[in-house]
Amino acid sequence: MKLYDAMTPNTLRVQVFLAEKGIDVPREPVDLMAGGGRTPAFLAINPLGEVPVLELDDGTILTESVAICRYLESLHPDPSLFGADRLAQARIEMWNRRMELHFFDAMGGVARHSLPFFADTVDQIPAYAESQLRRFDRVCGWLDEAMADDRPYVAGDAFSVADITGMATLLGMDFCEKRIDPRFARLKRWEAAMRARPSFAGLFAAAA
Ligand SMILES: N[C@@H](CCC(=O)N[C@@H](CS)C(=O)NCC(=O)O)C(=O)O
């Protein structure tokens, strides 16, 4: 297996997933800033020009971070990050979708409409970026409320892929220099715990 990767939010989802499982997979860095995602060689691997990409030993190509994570989960079921029983699986699926559709998507909107990296591929509308910043604050308020039962993780008592989608959003926030408002104390506690996890912190130590 080989993972085409870069320090990006979606790739971070797979990197953290691998680290949490204790799996080591050879990496092939793709320098997106230098156009590495647009070369003919890379487009032949993923015509969307995006990372992450997992290439299997027989040459099969898997893209889409959650699909890659599901494949890895089936190879390495422990610890379960998609849920061990049917209720846990449903709750984690629900929260992973919610984290993706709201938390991650709001920050993605800010990033795509404000960061110079996207200037060539997105018709950037600064007012849209600002509206997504306001949306992000509203989403943070909703999440903080949802965690009023003081559960440690987004989907309950166990760390899961839903937290990993949240971690990817934290990287997006770093790129956009956005912080979670301190009034959302429960979400801030979750953020501090996620940033301290070796699977997340280790990525930055390795890159330094
Ligand atoms: N839905 C895909 C999205 C992948 C994606 O958007 N990757 C970004 C990095 S986070 C990328 O490679 N962008 C390259 C570009 O925009 O040129 C997934 O979950 O893997």
Side-chain angles (χ1 to χ4, degrees), residues 4 40-47 53 55 61 63:
Y4 292 85
F42 188 73
L43 290 172
I45 293 165
N46 182 5
V53 173
E55 186 178 320
I61 296 294
T63 67

Side-chain angles (χ1 to χ4, degrees), residues 8-11 13 32 38 49-52 63-66 100 117-118 121:
T8 73
N10 279 299
T11 310
R13 297 164 92 175
L32 295 178
R38 304 284 158 203
E50 293 173 346
V51 285
T63 67
E64 299 301 327
S65 43
V66 176
E100 197 161 49
F117 174 75
F118 294 102
T121 50

